[in-house]
Amino acid sequence: MPSAISQFIHPALDRQGVSDEMRHLMITPYREIKFGLPIVDHEGGMKLYTGFRVQHNHSRGPFKGGLRFHPDVDLDHFRDLASVMTWKCALVDIPFGGAKGGINCNPRDLNQQEMEVLTKRFVERLDEMLGPDHDIPAPDMGTGPQEMAWILEARSQDHGFEPGTVTGKPLQLFGSEGRTQATGHGVAFVTRWACEDSNIDIQDASIAIQGFGNVGSYTAQFLHDFGARVVAISDKDGGLYHPEGLDIPEILQVRQQPHEKLRLNELAVSAEQITNEELLTLDVDVLIPAAVEAVINEENVEDIQARLIVEAANIPVTCEADQRLEERGIPVIPDILANAGGVTVSYLEWVQNRQRYSWKEEKVNHILEETLHQAWNHLTSYAREEQISRRLAAYTIGTQRVREAIQLRGF
Ligand code: NAD
């Protein structure tokens, strides 16, 4: 079966008349590794997990990409996600390549000590493959600042203190102001520009967001601040719906209380309960999938009623569904632009770390907005001139930059 992502890349390479050899080189990962990760569990028995890292391309800078801790991950998954990182960094023109990796564990089943041991062992196994000029991990699903702090510690043992080894760290360990919220912040900026472009007034736009983790919750917060009506949110067990708009600040406050791990549909707030499938097919102005891959697919694409889709998750729309949405005239803002705020501020964190200096949040947010806006303008004007979808425009710009770098450097 062709990978989800290669079906988006081939049409972009066709437009550039790329040879078969170059096409193969651009699609094939540079290196991939899969390894066993045993740990002693809290009862003294053994738990065995599998670790993965796929380094896709480093023609434009060190490999860069998140670590996902999730029970369903496999090598195919990471091949696609690593490739997405390559095109994303190229599209927003930051000097990184693409990678992705993680462990097939469920963080909810592990205590803090098990998580620490597992994360540090993962780093020990990768050893020389990582480093601030080689491969720089960051958070993704199931990981956050704490895991990044453990990664820094594990790398420092043999390589000395270098904060640019990993991004998305806590502020106390030279993380960047604005990084935790950066992906959601970027999604909110892009949603605002896309609404303007589609003649949707953001001040009264109705918005449904699937996934209320790092990306989904900050997206909801910033869109609420922009004046939009966030009418539905969900996590993996279901969600909440209120046609007048949910009280996002209240929900965020309740979630940050001691019951941090409460499911959304267990919260005592004024709203109806809703399933994930119902959320995706709501009649809203903007639908923002911010959880997992392939949630908009051949089976539900005909039921989608949103006027605009903004991909906050990676690859949430399958290629088949994407074609059908285009035929139906529903614009899709592709993940490689919409969620690029995270890697953009990761880059700013790395720059600050290399300078041994810290910038104020205002400066970080300003560069974030400017970087994404430049990419947005380039993408939308190119799509308009060439009369192609934004997805194809995004992949054409990204693949062209990577191809030129490969050709200039030689093989
Ligand atoms: P997270 O672990 O913080 O949150 C994930 C959320 O999705 C949770 O609310 C979870 O309950 C929900 N979820 C999980 N499985 C689901 C399912 N089957 N159906 C519906 N909801 C489900 O993860 P995150 O960091 O917010 O990442 C979300 C998405 O954004 C992923 O696709 C990730 O690759 C992408 N992304 C994240 C970042 C980042 O900086 N964290 C950057 C770029 C892209």
Side-chain angles (χ1 to χ4, degrees), residues 68-70 72 81 85 88 100 108 138-143 179-180 182-184 210-217 234-238 255 264 276 289-293 295 312-316 335 339-343 346:
R68 182 174 290 198
F69 288 4
H70 192 281
D72 298 338
L81 293 167
M85 284 303 294
K88 186 183 302 182
K100 205 80 169 191
R108 276 182 180 258
D140 191 78
M141 277 182 69
T143 60
R179 172 60 186 92
T180 305
T183 309
Q210 185 197 39
F212 206 66
N214 171 280
V215 179
S217 61
S234 69
D235 57 24
K236 81 177 180 18
D237 302 298
R255 288 261 293 194
L264 280 177
N276 267 295
V292 286
E293 288 83 4
V295 293
N314 284 310
I315 338 177
D335 48 5
N339 68 27
V343 75
S346 272

Side-chain angles (χ1 to χ4, degrees), residues 148-292:
M148 303 306 115
W150 289 328
I151 292 172
L152 178 64
E153 166 58 20
R155 272 286 304 176
S156 301
Q157 290 298 321
D158 288 338
H159 300 272
F161 183 74
E162 174 45 72
T165 293
V166 55
T167 60
K169 301 178 293 296
L171 283 177
Q172 300 92 319
L173 283 172
F174 313 102
S176 176
E177 294 287 352
R179 172 60 186 92
T180 305
Q181 58 272 41
T183 309
H185 205 172
V187 174
F189 283 136
V190 171
T191 303
R192 191 169 66 184
W193 303 323
C195 280
E196 273 163 30
D197 209 52
S198 294
N199 292 319
I200 297 169
D201 180 4
I202 190 79
Q203 290 291 329
D204 194 39
S206 55
I207 300 194
I209 303 174
Q210 185 197 39
F212 206 66
N214 171 280
V215 179
S217 61
Y218 281 111
T219 299
Q221 184 190 307
F222 285 108
L223 285 171
H224 177 86
D225 293 348
F226 291 165
R229 261 183 314 130
V230 178
V231 297
I233 55 174
S234 69
D235 57 24
K236 81 177 180 18
D237 302 298
L240 300 171
Y241 172 66
H242 196 307
E244 305 293 313
L246 294 159
D247 188 341
I248 296 297
E250 184 198 5
I251 291 170
L252 288 170
Q253 207 197 1
V254 175
R255 288 261 293 194
Q256 275 158 18
Q257 298 305 308
H259 322 291
E260 205 179 328
K261 295 217 166 174
L262 265 188
R263 296 176 165 90
L264 280 177
N265 54 18
E266 292 170 349
L267 300 183
V269 293
S270 118
E272 289 169 39
Q273 301 216 346
I274 189 172
T275 66
N276 267 295
E277 204 45 51
E278 286 165 347
L279 179 145
L280 292 170
T281 56
L282 282 174
D283 182 3
V284 285
D285 291 312
V286 189
L287 172 62
I288 305 184
V292 286

Side-chain angles (χ1 to χ4, degrees), residues 357-390:
Y357 198 75
S358 293
W359 301 340
K360 299 243 180 306
E361 186 170 351
E362 258 176 18
K363 172 167 174 165
V364 172
N365 289 342
H366 175 72
I367 303 177
L368 166 67
E369 185 172 2
E370 197 175 55
T371 306
L372 292 183
H373 201 232
Q374 211 166 344
W376 164 262
N377 282 340
H378 186 179
L379 168 65
T380 45
S381 54
Y382 184 70
R384 224 162 253 141
E385 276 161 30
E386 299 290 319
Q387 301 205 338
I388 55 177
S389 71
R390 279 143 178 176

